[in-house]
Amino acid sequence: MKKLIAGVLCVCMLSALVIGCEKTEESTTATAATTADAGDDTTESEEGGSTETGIINLWSFTDEVPNMVDKYIELNPEFGERYEIVSTVISTTDNAYEPALDAALAGGGADAPDLYCAEAAFVIKYCSGDASSYAATYESLGIDIDAAIEEAGIAQYSIEVGSNADGEVVGLGYQATGGAFIYRRSIATDTFGTDEPDSIASEVGPGWDKFFEAAATLKDAGYAIVSGDGDIWHAIENSSEDGWIVDGALVIDPLREEFLDYSLMLKENGYSNDTQDWTEAWYGDMAGTADTQVFGFFGPAWLINYVIADHCGGTAAGEGTYGDWAVCNSPIGFFWGGTWLIPAAGTDVPEGVAEILTWITLDCSETGLQYMWANGVDAAAKDSVASATVMAMSDGTLDFLAGQNMFDVFVPANEFANGSNLTQYDGTINGYWRDQVRQYSAGEKTRDEAIAGFKQMVADNLDVVVE
Amino acid sequence: MAIKSNGGRVVRNRKLVNYSKYGYIFSIPFVVAFLIFSLYPVIYTTVIGFTDLKGLGVTTFKFQEDPFTNFKTIISNATFKIALKNTVIIWIGNFIPQIGIALLLTAWYTDNRTKIKGKGVFKVLFYLPNIITSATIAILFSTLFGYPMGPMNDVLMTLGFIKEPFYFMNNKKIAQGLVMFIQFWMWYGYTMVTLISGVIGIDPAIFEAAEIDGASRTQTFFFITIPCIRTIMLFTLVTSMIGGLNMFDIPKLLVNASGPDNSTLTTSVFIYNQAFSGSYMYARAAAASMMMFVVIVILSCVIFYILRDKDEEQLAKLRKADRKAERKAMAGGM
Amino acid sequence: MASDLRTKQRASIGLKICIYVVSILLAVLSIFPFWVMFCNCTRSTNEIQEHAVSFLPSVYLMDNFKVYEGKDFNPFVGFVNSMIISVFSTGLAVYFSSLTAYALTAYEWKLRKPFFSFIMAVMMIPGQVTLIGFYQMVYKLGFTNNLLMLILPSIAAPMMVFFMRQYLQGALSMEIVQSARIDGAGEFRIFNQIVLPIMKPAIATQAIFTFVSSWNRLFEPLVLLTSKDKYTMPVMVSLLKGDIYKTEYGAVYLGLSMTVLPLIIIYLSLSRYIVSGVALGGVKG
């Protein structure tokens, strides 16, 4: 009897402690809530007293998205009370992310992902390719997708990429990675007499013929137009009519085939420094340290803020090439990179997932993630975002670009990007293609041999029909 | 306990039978662990080599009508042939210097007559390359030979050997050579350490006897050391061969894709590509794995045969003959 | 006679010089990547991306450490996890492999040869494709995120069994075992008290190898462990790599250096078994 009473008292004591702890937590978060933005209200009214709770399993390959979710909880504490976020971050080095994600998706169960990220390199597989059966459409989560897209002005290519085979949206991104031509102001003035984006845009394009004319002009003035053939590849790849695979067979779009010739032209005529992207020499050209200075790079906003800015050799005007850059329209529209967020089919927390997705990819208000990204809130570098609406109401001026507003260029650039010619094998096939092109431009193979070698590699390694 | 011929043998036989059960008992942990952790994947791989399993997340598969379809596809696959050729070339180019230097160093460092100062330090240093992960080494070397800017290019140009930077990684022979070199560099210390540990196990009395008999260093090495570590040599040869034929890390990580024009493509990378580079053709990958396995088994048998202990073999034959005679005698006698 | 001695001496001096030169060259060759790595962890990411290989250190060591705070990267946790996994794996592998190898050499039993061939066969299977089966199995069993899954498989280490067996064949003579049996010792005791000490050099060597390879293993832990407090060091370093445009190379090299440092320390402390002649001690007297 005594033991029973003692036992019951213990249990009461323990539960009191536990509840007490929760209460103190609640009070602290409550005070935080009152000081936070009033953005809470909109989400609460949308939910209208939702009682869904649970664990949201988030899979990502960098800590970008988990940090975003943490930020959301910071701004909306009651979301954090209803849901517990379990993030699994596996980086894409050594190709470790995809097999793990695939196994987790296939395994199912309570630990299966509820929300997962896919990078441009492999997003097609998860949206419309082999893994698309694991994805849920945004519509099915209760998001009025068409209206939201309309309001936010999401770039067309992003929607195309994120749509499944039935044309419904299963994934959207937060960045817009439409590409432009990023050039050095000083070299522009020296060669063309002006550094105004519009003038330069008409010097280097539209179209590759114009581009190579400009290359010749620059060569005469002692400059290289780009750093290496990789720089023009992304533009070429994305601008072709067909992707690599049409109806299960390999197709070499004529525009992509021209890359062989362009690559050779760049090398033979000395229009480039023959570097390979993501190597020392390529970074060196951003700081202008090579003997021959490079005029420009093709890339989206992230190239400016995360790559060129980091390697320009300085952090303020006057140091290195900082402040000597500008952006203009690319001769050919394209996009490069990006992360798409995909909800999982059969998730047990659809409302929570929908809330996060909306905030990250569709919310075009001033409390949405995209606004924060576009304006560099919280000391993050400014980036162009998926919503044109947000960019229109944001300030994209950068000291790095000597005060130019990058959104002026990137909003239209996003519209020119093509999202319909991607296949899920692109990563691999591009690797083979560029390797053979490099052999050709280095003089190791003839043009036909390069194409034949490419076809052989695709036929031998992939389940694709090759004539 | 004198052991006489007939009576003693019977007693000894009984005792041997008693002990042999320990052979089974002591092997149980290994077998159990293996069954639990390795068996399923291994059987899975073997089985799907005969099916048409491909695609992501697919779990149903049918067996091919012609069970050897996948194998035939692989053999006629041009890229596979290139991979096989590369694997052999790279393995030989890596293995011969490795074993050569390892043996040389072993000879020098276990020689009691030559006093080398700092022997210990050297031995320790040589093994160090094995400690770094392949990924790190790959990055280091690929940037070392970067083009057009890179330390190697800088050095060669300053020394006047070349006028313009050279695209090392785009040149097939050089890329292969680099892979060979890196494999050699990572593993020569390991091989040396393995061999030395075998030499340490040799009774020093033998060496003393040899020295007294006036054997030169070379004679000691070739006629005493090597035969005594024959068992360890066998281990080194077989594991180097297996490691070499299964070479994966460095070829995959050093250069993008499969090296300039497939020149650093090894069979393991080929298998990996079949399974993971987009089409998830697991069946073909499994078939290729099985084929490589067969190749390795054959080669191992060859090595085992060459390095077999001829004396023991003769002894075993004699013993067998003895026992046969015995049994005949016993059957005939009774 | 005297001239004979002198030529012998000259020859031995020549040999010594040759040995020293080669050894020094190889030593430099072996050290340089470590030097580069340690230098790199004191340089900033930008410096590294522009000049990846440098033999001179720079001043960004503390900055690289600060990157860790931002990224919620706790090297101490990673270190402890790596230690747990590696120490137990090595211990289990070494002990059970020796046991199995002893079973293969000391006893005559019917399945001995087939069993050995089986072990060899297992060793020869190329590893990449068995990965799929392995994942599926682990996910089906629900054992993900469990350190045990990374430790227990090492009980079955075919390559080590092979090595130990080869070593025992050369180094073990059954006389000792017989005399111990006569003295009345049980088989298990014989193994633990007599055979294991004989195998010291082999054990030391294999222990180092297994420890290193277990410590450096990236792929399985990367895929199997999903909670941050169970990550091993290589996994944490790989997370620093992230997206190519966000990689903080300085911090990555610092992470790599920290991963390698414990290995070097452990290796140096165990290496005296390889360096000094740890004689058998079992056969003589």
Side-chain angles (χ1 to χ4, degrees), chain A residues 125 274 425 428 445 460 463, chain B residues 77 79 147 274 277-280:
Chain A
K125 174 175 126 188
D274 204 17
Y425 303 122
T428 314
K445 281 190 161 183
D460 286 345
D463 193 20
Chain B
N77 190 320
T79 311
Y147 168 87
Q274 292 288 305
S277 65
S279 291
Y280 301 96

Side-chain angles (χ1 to χ4, degrees), chain A residues 72-243:
Chain A
Y72 184 68
I73 294 184
E74 193 186 304
L75 296 174
N76 304 285
E78 45 85 41
F79 184 83
E81 283 161 32
R82 282 188 288 131
Y83 299 100
E84 185 194 329
I85 315 285
V86 174
S87 307
T88 306
V89 181
I90 300 181
S91 76
T92 50
T93 42
D94 301 332
N95 257 318
Y97 179 67
E98 282 179 75
L101 180 60
D102 296 341
L105 287 170
D111 286 334
D114 294 303
L115 179 59
Y116 49 101
C117 304
E119 207 181 20
F122 46 87
V123 67
I124 294 287
K125 174 175 126 188
Y126 291 98
C127 289
S128 49
D130 288 340
S132 54
S133 54
Y134 298 119
T137 65
Y138 275 47
E139 190 89 43
S140 69
L141 294 175
I143 303 176
D144 186 357
I145 192 70
D146 294 323
I149 289 181
E150 181 83 41
E151 192 189 334
I154 307 284
Q156 184 59 25
Y157 84 89
S158 183
I159 302 172
E160 274 169 359
V161 166
S163 300
N164 64 11
D166 297 324
E168 296 174 307
V169 171
V170 295
L172 280 181
Y174 43 91
Q175 278 171 311
T177 55
F181 187 62
I182 310 162
Y183 63 92
R184 295 271 299 279
R185 289 180 182 268
S186 52
I187 301 181
T189 324
D190 194 36
T191 317
F192 301 109
T194 167
D195 66 357
E196 284 303 307
D198 294 327
S199 326
I200 299 295
S202 53
E203 288 285 349
V204 298
W208 292 116
D209 293 328
K210 263 275 171 111
F211 180 77
F212 280 99
E213 274 172 29
T217 319
L218 281 161
K219 174 81 194 291
D220 291 332
Y223 302 107
I225 190 168
V226 282
S227 182
D229 67 358
D231 292 285
I232 62 174
W233 167 244
H234 294 106
I236 292 183
E237 177 197 0
N238 198 238
S239 59
S240 68
E241 275 270 331
D242 292 323

